């Protein structure tokens, strides 16, 4: 695997993040609420959205969710699924599964479309429609190839994601890159779990190290800048049964292994552990990128160029918005 291919994936993934954050930040004043019809408790929103997008909406099971987020517990997930039933957006349990209601699914589709409209309204400057369509064509080509490798490479997270809530991808629109990249990320997470199990690292310890690695290596995705951030970062994905205790045990395990420097709430990986994490992340990406189609150097360069141009333009738009707000 070449450094160019890895850099291409980083640029593509970053473009997904930038398009969503910029589109949502620059929504016109007075635009309809993104949460219209989904007025549920904040602590239930993450599991609700991730369950319906990442799993078959009519067959959502705690055991499947736990495969993707193994630092949680089946009981903690079940409690949230029952909470979603009480909130009127899920029904069940039906055996060991829950189902999203038709009304809640319609509201979530509306939410997706409104975020998509926000992305499509962005003025991307020199990034023309032809370039957008080329990037989307690459997205579809990559996902087609990953689907072909499923039989040879166990991919429970990716396969569940394929059954989740998806928009119609024809005609192809700019905002589809957000959803298509999410599906690629599911295959990447399968590779993450493979390497984690091979290393024998506990799920919450792995998650914390992974987030701290992002803080240094890919700060645009940083969500954990101190030890106190661990519970908040983890519960963006799945509930913790006893957040305070679970996080204290995970952080203490990292300190005992000599992975962290700084005292009290400081949470920084040592240089040695950062190198170890670099090695593990490189192996993850090697596994993941081996499932991509054979792309020529010119094709990866084109993908990287389009994604990087999107990222630069989104950064410009956010900087302009900040100046206007400050003024």
């Amino acid at each position: 695997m070449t450094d160019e291919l890895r850099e291409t994936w980083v640029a593509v993934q970053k473009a997904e993040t930038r398009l969503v954050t910029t589109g949502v930040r620059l929504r016109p004043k007075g635009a309809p609420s993104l949460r219209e019809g989904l007025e549920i408790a904040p602590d239930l929103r993450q599991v609700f959205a991730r369950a319906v997008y990442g799993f078959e909406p009519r067959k959502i099971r705690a055991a499947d969710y736990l495969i993707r987020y193994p630092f949680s517990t089946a009981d903690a997930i079940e409690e949230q699924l029952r909470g979603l039933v009480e909130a009127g957006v899920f029904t069940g349990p039906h055996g060991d599964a829950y189902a999203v209601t038709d009304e809640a699914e319609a509201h979530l589709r509306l939410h997706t479309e409104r975020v998509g409209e926000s992305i499509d309204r962005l003025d991307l400057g020199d990034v023309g429609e032809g370039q957008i369509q080329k990037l989307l064509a690459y997205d579809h080509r990559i996902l087609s190839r990953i689907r072909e490798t499923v039989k040879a490479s166990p991919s429970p997270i990716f396969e569940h994601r394929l059954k989740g809530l998806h928009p119609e991808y024809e005609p192809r629109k700019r905002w589809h890159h957000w959803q298509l990249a999410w599906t690629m990320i599911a295959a990447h997470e399968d590779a993450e779990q493979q390497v984690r199990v091979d290393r024998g690292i506990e799920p919450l310890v792995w998650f914390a190290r992974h987030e701290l690695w992002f803080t240094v290596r890919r700060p645009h995705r940083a969500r954990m800048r101190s030890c106190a951030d661990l519970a908040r970062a983890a519960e963006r994905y799945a509930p913790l049964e006893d957040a305070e205790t679970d996080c204290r045990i995970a952080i203490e395990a990292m300190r005992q292994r000599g992975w962290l420097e700084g005292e009290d709430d400081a949470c920084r990986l040592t240089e040695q552990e950062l190198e170890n994490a670099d090695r593990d992340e490189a192996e993850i990406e090697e596994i993941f990128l081996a499932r991509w189609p054979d792309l020529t150097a010119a094709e990866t360069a084109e993908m990287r160029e389009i994604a990087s141009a999107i990222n630069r333009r989104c950064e410009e738009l956010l900087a302009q918005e900040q100046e206007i707000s400050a003024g």
Side-chain angles (χ1 to χ4, degrees):
M1 178 185 64
T2 65
D3 289 339
E4 288 77 12
L5 188 57
R6 185 182 296 112
E7 290 169 8
T8 300
W9 165 237
V10 172
V12 165
Q13 190 179 11
K14 187 175 180 180
E16 175 266 321
T17 303
R18 287 290 189 230
L19 284 171
V20 175
T21 55
T22 308
V24 170
R25 180 84 63 83
L26 300 185
R27 277 173 61 78
K29 291 181 179 178
S33 169
L34 291 175
R35 292 179 180 156
E36 183 179 333
L38 297 174
E39 293 84 3
I40 56 179
D43 63 327
L44 296 175
R45 288 177 191 153
Q46 294 294 344
V47 168
F48 170 66
R50 293 185 187 282
V52 181
Y53 280 124
F55 302 89
E56 186 177 346
R58 298 293 182 270
K59 194 176 182 181
I60 296 168
R61 301 185 300 187
D64 294 333
Y65 200 96
L66 193 60
I67 291 172
R68 188 166 194 173
Y69 305 112
F71 55 78
S72 186
T73 65
D75 286 346
I77 297 166
E78 281 282 352
E79 183 178 348
Q80 293 231 323
L81 295 178
R82 289 194 297 270
L84 289 165
V85 172
E86 293 173 6
V89 293
F90 277 9
T91 64
H94 311 286
D96 63 348
Y98 295 78
V100 65
T101 65
D102 291 340
E103 183 180 16
E105 181 174 331
H107 283 303
L108 197 54
R109 286 188 183 277
L110 180 61
H111 167 87
T112 304
E113 289 168 6
R114 283 180 173 168
V115 174
E117 289 167 0
S118 301
I119 293 170
D120 284 347
R121 275 196 297 264
L122 293 173
D123 174 7
L124 291 185
D126 294 335
V127 184
E129 182 60 26
Q131 291 172 293
I132 295 293
Q133 289 301 319
K134 282 184 178 180
L135 181 60
L136 292 172
Y138 282 124
D139 289 344
H140 282 278
R141 185 174 163 192
I142 291 166
L143 287 172
S144 292
R145 173 57 183 153
I146 293 174
R147 284 190 183 95
E148 292 172 6
T149 66
V150 162
K151 287 184 180 179
S153 303
S155 308
I157 298 172
F158 177 71
E159 292 181 71
H160 277 304
R161 165 64 182 154
L162 293 180
K163 298 174 184 176
L165 187 68
H166 290 266
E168 296 296 329
Y169 289 123
E170 296 295 340
R172 296 180 181 180
K173 299 179 182 179
R174 176 195 300 175
W175 68 271
H176 291 166
H177 178 67
W178 160 40
Q179 294 286 313
L180 295 166
W182 266 17
T183 308
M184 294 182 212
I185 289 169
H188 192 276
E189 289 177 354
D190 279 312
E192 287 180 32
Q193 292 306 323
Q194 179 180 332
V195 173
R196 180 191 68 78
V197 171
D198 287 347
R199 297 288 185 270
I201 299 176
E202 305 94 314
L204 192 56
V205 171
W206 173 271
F207 178 84
R209 190 185 72 157
H210 185 62
E211 290 295 309
L212 290 171
W213 178 85
F214 268 125
T215 299
V216 177
R217 298 299 194 223
R218 298 182 190 170
H220 71 281
R221 285 197 60 194
R223 287 179 286 262
M224 185 178 167
R225 300 183 185 279
S226 73
C227 293
D229 292 335
L230 177 55
R232 179 183 54 79
E235 291 193 316
R236 286 174 58 92
Y237 300 93
L240 296 172
E241 199 154 22
D242 184 340
E244 183 177 349
T245 301
D246 293 347
C247 292
R248 185 178 67 248
I249 291 171
I251 295 299
E252 183 58 28
M254 296 175 78
R255 290 201 187 281
Q256 288 182 358
R257 294 169 193 176
W259 290 5
L260 298 178
E261 59 185 12
E263 298 179 356
D264 300 325
D265 199 38
C267 243
R268 298 185 303 275
L269 293 178
T270 63
E271 284 301 317
Q272 180 59 59
E273 195 53 34
L274 195 56
E275 290 179 10
N276 291 340
D278 284 338
R279 176 204 63 198
D280 291 346
E281 297 293 337
E283 183 173 341
I284 289 165
E285 293 190 347
E286 184 173 354
I287 293 168
F288 169 64
L289 293 170
R291 302 179 68 181
W292 281 31
D294 291 330
L295 299 168
T296 66
E299 288 173 325
T300 55
E302 183 175 49
M303 277 187 75
R304 197 161 56 249
E305 180 181 348
I306 296 169
S308 297
I310 290 172
N311 293 327
R312 287 193 300 272
R313 180 56 180 162
C314 286
E315 287 164 8
E316 289 173 2
L317 290 171
L318 289 175
Q320 290 170 10
E321 191 267 344
Q322 271 190 324
E323 287 180 10
I324 293 170
S325 298

